[in-house]
Amino acid sequence: MTQITDHLAEIERRVSDCLIHNQREHETVEIVAVSKRHPASAVIAARAAGLTHFGENYLQEALGKIEAVDDPDIEWHFIGQLQSNKTRPVAETFSWVDTVDRARIAERLDAQRPASAAPLNVLIQLNLDAEAQKGGVSPDECYRLADRIAELPRLRLRGVMSIPQAGQPDAERRARLLEVTAVAAELRSRGHTIDTVSMGMSDDFELAIECGSTMVRIGTALFGERG
Ligand SMILES: *Cc1c(COP(=O)(O)O)cnc(C)c1O
């Protein structure tokens, strides 16, 4: 518990140093605590330390944990690959889906979002490495998908997210991260009012912030190694 508090203090210090070094000291970066394969007790400890955004990849694991934690002030992000036959529980339970990459998924989430809930926040997942096994769309597909999402009343497009290829040299990773920020800027110039660029994980969040990230997804650096 105290360990999570210490880890969070260290991450927050590094985020704010990084913002200062990049002349972004008046901005904030949201921390999404990635709690996959960590127990509900870890979420409760991180919540007590002040975090409100939590990310989960695996639907069954997430649903059990969300029920166990039972905290209405948490904003849960679905950050895994979403199959179209699994959209209903996601639309009913989560506040964000960070990995939307198909019109069909967006349309189902829109149709299944309960009327009593706020619109579902969504990010479009970009895949700039053209890795076939990974989800995500190209920039051109992203602009088309954003126009479609804008027509769906129960969804609120908040921005883009990306998971860069593991093991890339720094220079290449930087180029990819800058491209994500450029796609977000292009969405804005096309009239989409978005506020979120989600990129950066435990190993690269400072580089991601340097390249324009507004939301980092941190697992290991906060909770330790996954079980
Ligand atoms: C697991 C995961 C993370 C967190 O990764 P760490 O390296 O543990 O910080 C972030 N984003 C996504 C999409 C993930 O699946």
PDB file of all heavy atoms in Angstrom, residues 15 24 28 67 103 141 145 152 160 205:
ATOM      1  N   VAL A  15       6.534  13.169 -14.050  1.00  0.00           N
ATOM      2  CA  VAL A  15       5.620  13.797 -15.015  1.00  0.00           C
ATOM      3  C   VAL A  15       5.749  15.313 -14.931  1.00  0.00           C
ATOM      4  O   VAL A  15       5.884  15.997 -15.949  1.00  0.00           O
ATOM      5  CB  VAL A  15       4.150  13.360 -14.756  1.00  0.00           C
ATOM      6  CG1 VAL A  15       3.167  14.243 -15.519  1.00  0.00           C
ATOM      7  CG2 VAL A  15       3.957  11.888 -15.144  1.00  0.00           C
ATOM      8  N   ARG A  24       5.669  22.874 -20.825  1.00  0.00           N
ATOM      9  CA  ARG A  24       4.236  22.561 -20.729  1.00  0.00           C
ATOM     10  C   ARG A  24       3.783  22.636 -19.283  1.00  0.00           C
ATOM     11  O   ARG A  24       2.841  21.957 -18.879  1.00  0.00           O
ATOM     12  CB  ARG A  24       3.975  21.144 -21.285  1.00  0.00           C
ATOM     13  CG  ARG A  24       4.263  20.983 -22.775  1.00  0.00           C
ATOM     14  CD  ARG A  24       3.976  19.543 -23.233  1.00  0.00           C
ATOM     15  NE  ARG A  24       2.593  19.161 -22.947  1.00  0.00           N
ATOM     16  CZ  ARG A  24       2.140  17.901 -22.984  1.00  0.00           C
ATOM     17  NH1 ARG A  24       2.960  16.907 -23.293  1.00  0.00           N
ATOM     18  NH2 ARG A  24       0.881  17.634 -22.704  1.00  0.00           N
ATOM     19  N   THR A  28      -1.660  19.598 -17.721  1.00  0.00           N
ATOM     20  CA  THR A  28      -1.648  18.413 -16.868  1.00  0.00           C
ATOM     21  C   THR A  28      -1.638  17.164 -17.751  1.00  0.00           C
ATOM     22  O   THR A  28      -2.053  17.201 -18.903  1.00  0.00           O
ATOM     23  CB  THR A  28      -2.891  18.351 -15.954  1.00  0.00           C
ATOM     24  OG1 THR A  28      -4.051  18.457 -16.774  1.00  0.00           O
ATOM     25  CG2 THR A  28      -2.879  19.451 -14.922  1.00  0.00           C
ATOM     26  N   GLU A  67     -16.826  -4.756  -9.860  1.00  0.00           N
ATOM     27  CA  GLU A  67     -17.863  -5.048  -8.877  1.00  0.00           C
ATOM     28  C   GLU A  67     -17.280  -5.098  -7.464  1.00  0.00           C
ATOM     29  O   GLU A  67     -17.859  -4.568  -6.515  1.00  0.00           O
ATOM     30  CB  GLU A  67     -18.548  -6.379  -9.230  1.00  0.00           C
ATOM     31  CG  GLU A  67     -19.878  -6.542  -8.525  1.00  0.00           C
ATOM     32  CD  GLU A  67     -20.549  -7.864  -8.875  1.00  0.00           C
ATOM     33  OE1 GLU A  67     -20.134  -8.538  -9.843  1.00  0.00           O
ATOM     34  OE2 GLU A  67     -21.478  -8.226  -8.141  1.00  0.00           O
ATOM     35  N   ALA A 103     -15.793   1.035 -37.171  1.00  0.00           N
ATOM     36  CA  ALA A 103     -17.125   1.654 -37.097  1.00  0.00           C
ATOM     37  C   ALA A 103     -18.118   0.699 -36.439  1.00  0.00           C
ATOM     38  O   ALA A 103     -18.963   1.121 -35.637  1.00  0.00           O
ATOM     39  CB  ALA A 103     -17.596   2.060 -38.483  1.00  0.00           C
ATOM     40  N   GLU A 141      -7.775   6.145 -42.074  1.00  0.00           N
ATOM     41  CA  GLU A 141      -8.922   5.433 -41.494  1.00  0.00           C
ATOM     42  C   GLU A 141      -9.406   6.143 -40.222  1.00  0.00           C
ATOM     43  O   GLU A 141     -10.604   6.165 -39.936  1.00  0.00           O
ATOM     44  CB  GLU A 141      -8.524   3.991 -41.154  1.00  0.00           C
ATOM     45  CG  GLU A 141      -8.299   3.119 -42.383  1.00  0.00           C
ATOM     46  CD  GLU A 141      -7.621   1.787 -42.038  1.00  0.00           C
ATOM     47  OE1 GLU A 141      -6.665   1.770 -41.222  1.00  0.00           O
ATOM     48  OE2 GLU A 141      -8.049   0.768 -42.587  1.00  0.00           O
ATOM     49  N   LEU A 145     -13.177   7.295 -39.394  1.00  0.00           N
ATOM     50  CA  LEU A 145     -13.834   6.755 -38.197  1.00  0.00           C
ATOM     51  C   LEU A 145     -14.277   7.887 -37.265  1.00  0.00           C
ATOM     52  O   LEU A 145     -15.359   7.828 -36.671  1.00  0.00           O
ATOM     53  CB  LEU A 145     -12.870   5.788 -37.500  1.00  0.00           C
ATOM     54  CG  LEU A 145     -13.362   5.054 -36.260  1.00  0.00           C
ATOM     55  CD1 LEU A 145     -14.676   4.309 -36.515  1.00  0.00           C
ATOM     56  CD2 LEU A 145     -12.289   4.060 -35.769  1.00  0.00           C
ATOM     57  N   LEU A 152     -22.603   9.653 -33.672  1.00  0.00           N
ATOM     58  CA  LEU A 152     -23.209   8.719 -32.713  1.00  0.00           C
ATOM     59  C   LEU A 152     -23.434   9.434 -31.379  1.00  0.00           C
ATOM     60  O   LEU A 152     -22.479   9.798 -30.696  1.00  0.00           O
ATOM     61  CB  LEU A 152     -22.298   7.493 -32.534  1.00  0.00           C
ATOM     62  CG  LEU A 152     -22.021   6.712 -33.828  1.00  0.00           C
ATOM     63  CD1 LEU A 152     -20.971   5.619 -33.588  1.00  0.00           C
ATOM     64  CD2 LEU A 152     -23.301   6.104 -34.403  1.00  0.00           C
ATOM     65  N   VAL A 160      -7.148  10.323 -29.367  1.00  0.00           N
ATOM     66  CA  VAL A 160      -6.485   9.156 -29.959  1.00  0.00           C
ATOM     67  C   VAL A 160      -5.591   8.486 -28.929  1.00  0.00           C
ATOM     68  O   VAL A 160      -5.193   9.095 -27.938  1.00  0.00           O
ATOM     69  CB  VAL A 160      -5.620   9.559 -31.185  1.00  0.00           C
ATOM     70  CG1 VAL A 160      -6.507  10.022 -32.335  1.00  0.00           C
ATOM     71  CG2 VAL A 160      -4.597  10.626 -30.835  1.00  0.00           C
ATOM     72  N   PHE A 205       7.075   6.892 -20.682  1.00  0.00           N
ATOM     73  CA  PHE A 205       6.096   7.981 -20.534  1.00  0.00           C
ATOM     74  C   PHE A 205       6.727   9.365 -20.634  1.00  0.00           C
ATOM     75  O   PHE A 205       6.076  10.306 -21.092  1.00  0.00           O
ATOM     76  CB  PHE A 205       5.222   7.801 -19.280  1.00  0.00           C
ATOM     77  CG  PHE A 205       5.903   7.971 -17.946  1.00  0.00           C
ATOM     78  CD1 PHE A 205       6.025   9.216 -17.361  1.00  0.00           C
ATOM     79  CD2 PHE A 205       6.381   6.862 -17.257  1.00  0.00           C
ATOM     80  CE1 PHE A 205       6.618   9.372 -16.110  1.00  0.00           C
ATOM     81  CE2 PHE A 205       6.974   6.995 -16.013  1.00  0.00           C
ATOM     82  CZ  PHE A 205       7.110   8.255 -15.438  1.00  0.00           C
TER      83      PHE A 205
END
